[in-house]
Amino acid sequence: MTSEEVLARAAEYLPEKDVAMLREAYQTAEYAHREQYRRSGEPYIWHPVQVASILVDLGMDPDTIAAAFLHDVVEDTDVGLDVLEEKFGSQVAMLVDGVTKLGKIKYKSKEEQQAENHRKMFVAMAKDIRVILIKLADRLHNMRTLKHLPPEKQRRISNETLEIFAPLAHRLGISKIKWELEDTALRYLNPQQYYRIVNLMKKKRVERESYIEEVKDALKEKLQAMDVEADIHGRAKHIYSIYRKMVLQNKQFNEIYDLLAIRIVVKSIKDCYAVLGTIHTQWKPMPGRFKDYIAMPKANMYQSLHTTVIGPKGDPLEVQIRSEDMHKVAEFGVAAHWAYKEGKTVDDAESLETKMSWFREILEWQNNTNDAQEFMESLKIDLFSDMVFVFSPKGDVMELPKGSVPLDFAYRIHTEVGNRCIGAKVNGKMVPLDHRLKTGDIVEILTSKHSYGPSQDWLKMTQSSHAKNKIRQWFKREKRDEHVEKGRDMIEKEIARKGYKNKEVFTHENIHRVMDKFSFTTEEDMYAAVGYQGITAAQVVTRLTDTLRREEEQDTRTLTEAVEDLKPQKGASKADTSGVRVKGVDNLLIRLSRCCNPVPGDEIVGYITKGRGVSIHRADCPNVASPDGDTRLLDVEWDSGPQQNKNYDVDIEISGYDRRSLLNDVLQAVAETKTNIHAVSGRADSNKMARIDMTVSIQNTAHLQKVVERIKQISDIYTVRRVMH
């Protein structure tokens, strides 16, 4: 859509004054991005316009659409949040701030920075769900234009999309966005399987469409006789859904029967059950394939009746039955509740708040977790994992992460029920506290006022982050003095291990730097956090000794003096240059850094270290990120002399689908390139994703590329990347 088309579409459901505000938001963004272009060569403003168009299609409110036009202005231009607040109000400014990355803070690694960005986004989302709707629209358009990025970036962004954004769209019930994100990500992560499925679906399309038409005609006749008004249409199975079923259930394409599916949309809940009865009378239902999500909605508010019957030709046929309101929620999820409408009632807001109460837990995790990566792992477990549905003895339904135990259930009921838990009954029988719950279990928690409270083992037993956080809170409160002493002792031992003295480390400035970094209120909070293992002593000591380490590393001598010190003494044997030489200087002590394993063909830089000569790093190694003019950096180059055929160790990481003989195929492929393997290890997760770590001996980057390309040719291999430590 063009900007005018977006505004015209918005004018179909928004008052004139709101459309005028949106036009001003667009003009502000257009001016701010006026000299910026995307990788595709298009003016940058094209991206915000497309993000706004996605949200207009969802029928979102004016503030959300305005924020979509402006969502990159603060991050990528000189316009500040204060300007946006003055022109468009606090709501728009808050939404823009929620999706703005933390670009001005330095982090140890890209992973840490990305985790902090996600944490900021999720905390903003917990305050206002519209933040994530903008972010999902932003990610959807970025995925649509991913072809303009380098392959490595395509894979990284696609992985992140499958890991975070698609599950989040699912949790919010926005299937319209979820399916497109998943299908597009699969196209870049496993193009071989993606296009294979596409081609197989094309071959059977005519046959499928003919079959669906036959079923529709038969149903229409029956429903007309019942005087039930219904919209019947075929439902296309999405590519990623087929791929997942093939991987998880180890099936071939021709073994997947629910490619044939129809969806029936009626006027009322009463009609839903009437249609179900008609279908079960017309065709024989398959046992165990009926699900009533109307009586028991999913956590993302999805409601529908699902059944699978033996259709007219003897093949399984999946049927979904829902009302028009249910269909809107199924397609747009939480966005259906945020869609603009005049006279939105308090009941609407309260209903949404109740249904999305799990968002409130995000703020609680934020307050109890100092590490951004740990926060994201907690989020993935509770929000993105598969779920089980269990019942209380009174019939209340609780949704818990797959693998949950009775303790998770107890803490979901109430914190005190969890703290006083002494046992549990599942389906009327006593079970241990580490018993894995299954969907449909009826769980009764036994408590006692005389309970001594949680044990440390409970942290290992529980699956949900909610339960783990409540247990940690109990330990913080009940054993604070003990944890303070234990934490202080652990920090002092770590300081001594690193060769420092307490007096030089425990300065007012150093302690406050740690408190600011990890959001501690007092010095005792810092010790207590280490004592109950909320943070490690090594993390605290690393921050406490930042200044001391920088002072040690500072070398005020001139480069010439430093180089002279690195030359071997008279009579000493010539230094091993490892195939590298310092420009303009001979016979220096040189070693290749193990953190990035440079090889001939890489751009390299030398770094003067104390007592170990010149350390050679790849130019993009984060361990040599240094201010301009650092006198410890040296210009170095690969030696084209007699050592040019020397071999170098390189670490690579391979990921793919965990099938039989995958590792053997990889080893065989590397052997075919006449490359020695020094080390290899592998593992697989519950999703059948395999990871192989390998150290190979290669001569240069061209040799490495040959090895990588050969591995990529193996079926079911998704990514091959070089690793830096």
Side-chain angles (χ1 to χ4, degrees):
M1 283 191 192
T2 64
S3 59
E4 286 305 318
E5 287 171 334
V6 173
L7 294 171
R9 177 83 175 79
E12 293 175 10
Y13 69 93
L14 292 178
E16 203 173 302
K17 64 179 177 62
D18 290 333
V19 177
M21 185 268 282
L22 294 180
R23 187 178 298 279
E24 186 180 0
Y26 163 70
Q27 289 168 348
T28 300
E30 183 185 37
Y31 182 77
H33 293 300
R34 63 193 178 280
E35 294 178 355
Q36 296 176 340
Y37 294 88
R38 285 172 66 81
R39 285 283 185 96
S40 60
E42 297 164 333
Y44 194 89
I45 189 62
W46 180 250
H47 169 65
V49 168
Q50 300 317 303
V51 174
S53 78
I54 292 167
L55 293 169
V56 166
D57 284 343
L58 294 177
M60 293 304 296
D61 63 294
D63 286 343
T64 307
I65 299 166
F69 278 128
L70 299 161
H71 76 276
D72 277 335
V73 162
V74 174
E75 186 179 333
D76 294 335
T77 76
D78 294 331
V79 178
L81 275 175
D82 52 341
V83 175
L84 298 186
E85 186 167 359
E86 187 180 334
K87 289 183 76 170
F88 303 103
S90 59
Q91 286 284 303
V92 172
M94 179 273 294
L95 293 172
V96 172
D97 185 45
V99 294
T100 300
K101 293 176 189 169
L102 305 167
K104 296 180 180 177
I105 303 173
K106 288 188 177 178
Y107 296 93
K108 287 184 293 186
S109 66
K110 283 184 179 178
E111 288 78 10
E112 184 184 353
Q113 181 171 8
Q114 192 72 318
E116 285 287 1
N117 285 331
H118 287 145
R119 167 147 74 170
K120 180 187 176 188
M121 177 183 73
F122 279 108
V123 172
M125 174 186 76
K127 296 173 184 173
D128 195 318
I129 294 171
R130 291 175 295 175
V131 168
I132 202 62
L133 296 178
I134 299 169
K135 194 64 187 174
L136 285 172
D138 172 63
R139 177 52 60 110
L140 180 57
H141 183 249
N142 282 335
M143 291 300 290
R144 287 173 178 174
T145 57
L146 209 55
K147 64 183 179 184
H148 301 292
L149 296 181
E152 186 56 40
K153 269 197 170 183
Q154 290 174 347
R155 288 189 291 272
R156 179 178 59 77
I157 292 170
S158 296
N159 263 321
E160 183 184 61
T161 297
L162 278 185
E163 199 173 85
I164 293 175
F165 291 98
L168 189 55
H170 171 69
R171 204 68 163 88
L172 295 171
I174 314 174
S175 61
K176 188 177 173 122
I177 289 179
K178 176 206 171 192
W179 290 120
E180 188 175 347
L181 287 176
E182 288 181 335
D183 285 357
T184 313
L186 179 63
R187 195 168 106 206
Y188 291 101
L189 288 174
N190 196 341
Q192 183 181 351
Q193 286 282 40
Y194 175 87
Y195 288 110
R196 176 172 170 258
I197 293 169
V198 168
N199 290 330
L200 288 169
M201 289 179 75
K202 278 181 183 175
K203 286 177 185 176
K204 292 199 171 185
R205 179 177 293 171
V206 175
E207 180 186 330
R208 275 202 318 273
E209 288 176 352
S210 169
Y211 182 72
I212 292 294
E213 284 303 315
E214 183 183 337
V215 171
K216 284 168 64 176
D217 291 341
L219 273 176
K220 278 178 184 175
E221 190 178 326
K222 290 280 184 182
L223 296 182
Q224 281 171 0
M226 293 171 57
D227 200 24
V228 171
E229 194 178 330
D231 178 20
I232 308 171
H233 50 87
R235 182 182 68 84
K237 190 82 173 172
H238 294 275
I239 297 165
Y240 184 75
S241 175
I242 296 170
Y243 169 76
R244 285 272 295 170
K245 192 160 279 192
M246 289 168 69
V247 169
L248 295 179
Q249 299 179 16
N250 199 23
K251 289 185 174 181
Q252 294 300 314
F253 182 83
N254 57 9
E255 296 177 288
I256 298 174
Y257 296 111
D258 57 356
L259 292 173
L260 298 171
I262 60 168
R263 181 176 292 142
I264 305 170
V265 181
V266 295
K267 295 292 184 185
S268 67
I269 292 178
K270 178 179 143 190
D271 288 344
C272 289
Y273 288 99
V275 171
L276 176 70
T278 300
I279 289 171
H280 281 182
T281 305
Q282 178 85 356
W283 298 297
K284 188 175 180 180
M286 289 180 67
R289 296 298 300 269
F290 170 65
K291 292 173 185 172
D292 188 344
Y293 292 119
I294 294 179
M296 198 167 71
K298 291 186 178 182
N300 60 13
M301 301 176 293
Y302 176 89
Q303 287 184 289
S304 195
L305 296 175
H306 288 197
T307 187
T308 303
V309 296
I310 303 300
K313 294 183 179 178
D315 291 328
L317 172 69
E318 187 182 276
V319 184
Q320 294 178 354
I321 311 163
R322 61 179 69 146
S323 70
E324 290 173 354
D325 286 342
M326 292 173 197
H327 184 60
K328 188 177 180 184
V329 172
E331 291 294 300
F332 302 135
V334 69
H337 291 262
W338 268 113
Y340 183 86
K341 59 182 178 185
E342 294 285 1
K344 191 177 283 188
T345 65
V346 175
D347 288 343
D348 289 334
E350 287 178 354
S351 171
L352 176 63
E353 181 74 17
T354 302
K355 288 173 181 173
M356 305 306 289
S357 60
W358 52 272
F359 263 14
R360 306 281 78 81
E361 293 183 9
I362 294 174
L363 288 175
E364 191 175 322
W365 298 340
Q366 154 75 6
N367 294 333
N368 286 289
T369 306
N370 295 308
D371 183 83
Q373 288 169 309
E374 182 187 333
F375 171 81
M376 283 307 300
E377 287 307 311
S378 296
L379 198 69
K380 288 175 193 175
I381 290 170
D382 266 23
L383 300 191
F384 304 153
S385 63
D386 291 333
M387 311 303 285
V388 293
F389 297 87
V390 295
F391 297 87
S392 72
K394 293 181 179 178
D396 296 326
V397 182
M398 293 279 182
E399 182 190 28
L400 297 167
K402 191 173 182 179
S404 289
V405 299
L407 285 169
D408 293 291
F409 180 84
Y411 277 102
R412 188 56 62 89
I413 295 170
H414 194 277
T415 303
E416 283 307 305
V417 173
N419 288 341
R420 294 180 177 180
C421 176
I422 58 168
K425 288 183 179 180
V426 174
N427 303 325
K429 295 180 181 178
M430 289 294 295
V431 296
L433 290 178
D434 62 354
H435 174 83
R436 295 290 179 91
L437 299 176
K438 302 187 300 294
T439 292
D441 283 345
I442 299 171
V443 186
E444 181 183 352
I445 300 299
L446 309 178
T447 62
S448 169
K449 292 181 181 178
H450 306 293
S451 164
Y452 290 106
S455 77
Q456 287 286 353
D457 289 339
W458 288 13
L459 286 171
K460 297 174 186 173
M461 283 186 207
T462 50
Q463 176 71 12
S464 66
S465 299
H466 176 81
K468 291 181 189 295
N469 282 325
K470 294 299 182 185
I471 295 165
R472 289 191 186 104
Q473 283 176 17
W474 187 89
F475 281 114
K476 285 184 197 176
R477 187 175 64 250
E478 296 297 319
K479 299 188 176 183
R480 181 175 171 80
D481 291 342
E482 181 183 324
H483 286 140
V484 168
E485 286 303 313
K486 182 180 176 183
R488 182 183 281 112
D489 183 54
M490 291 168 72
I491 289 172
E492 288 178 354
K493 284 180 178 175
E494 182 67 15
I495 289 170
R497 193 182 70 79
K498 288 184 175 287
Y500 296 106
K501 295 179 181 176
N502 290 342
K503 186 177 179 181
E504 61 182 347
V505 172
F506 286 121
T507 66
H508 178 80
E509 181 187 343
N510 289 346
I511 290 171
H512 274 268
R513 186 170 59 253
V514 175
M515 287 167 58
D516 289 343
K517 163 65 181 173
F518 296 109
S519 303
F520 295 129
T521 307
T522 66
E523 188 176 339
E524 283 197 342
D525 288 343
M526 176 180 76
Y527 296 131
V530 175
Y532 66 73
Q533 298 175 358
I535 189 173
T536 66
Q539 285 176 289
V540 171
V541 172
T542 298
R543 290 285 173 181
L544 284 172
T545 58
D546 269 353
T547 305
L548 289 169
R549 283 185 286 111
R550 274 199 298 270
E551 287 173 356
E552 285 178 357
E553 289 169 3
Q554 275 181 346
D555 196 338
T556 56
R557 298 171 300 168
T558 66
L559 181 59
T560 305
E561 291 171 325
V563 169
E564 284 300 318
D565 282 354
L566 294 173
K567 289 185 177 181
Q569 301 298 314
K570 286 182 179 179
S573 60
K574 187 175 179 179
D576 174 17
T577 66
S578 298
V580 177
R581 65 187 182 86
V582 178
K583 292 180 182 178
V585 185
D586 291 326
N587 200 23
L588 290 185
L589 297 164
I590 291 175
R591 67 182 185 89
L592 298 178
S593 171
R594 282 289 300 155
C595 63
C596 58
N597 287 335
V599 299
D602 287 329
E603 288 187 29
I604 52 175
V605 65
Y607 191 79
I608 299 172
T609 60
K610 287 193 173 182
R612 290 185 296 171
V614 176
S615 178
I616 305 301
H617 294 259
R618 281 164 54 183
D620 59 351
C621 179
N623 293 330
V624 291
S626 179
D628 292 339
D630 191 330
T631 58
R632 299 169 70 84
L633 292 178
L634 291 170
D635 284 335
V636 294
E637 61 187 5
W638 292 105
D639 193 349
S640 57
Q643 294 194 44
Q644 60 184 326
N645 291 325
K646 181 181 173 69
N647 284 330
Y648 302 81
D649 283 351
V650 171
D651 296 326
I652 56 176
E653 179 189 290
I654 304 157
S655 66
Y657 168 58
D658 180 31
R659 61 165 170 81
R660 186 175 295 175
S661 301
L662 181 69
L663 180 58
N664 284 340
D665 289 351
V666 170
L667 295 176
Q668 179 64 33
V670 175
E672 287 172 8
T673 65
K674 295 183 171 55
T675 303
N676 289 331
I677 300 173
H678 282 190
V680 65
S681 64
R683 61 182 180 274
D685 62 21
S686 58
N687 292 322
K688 302 285 283 181
M689 289 292 289
R691 172 176 158 177
I692 300 168
D693 295 304
M694 184 179 290
T695 303
V696 293
S697 180
I698 60 103
Q699 293 179 357
N700 49 43
T701 51
H703 182 184
L704 176 60
Q705 188 62 29
K706 181 181 175 184
V707 174
V708 170
E709 290 302 324
R710 178 63 189 87
I711 295 172
K712 283 182 178 178
Q713 292 170 12
I714 301 169
S715 64
D716 297 313
I717 291 295
Y718 302 156
T719 61
V720 184
R721 70 182 188 95
R722 188 173 171 185
V723 179
M724 280 199 288
H725 300 285

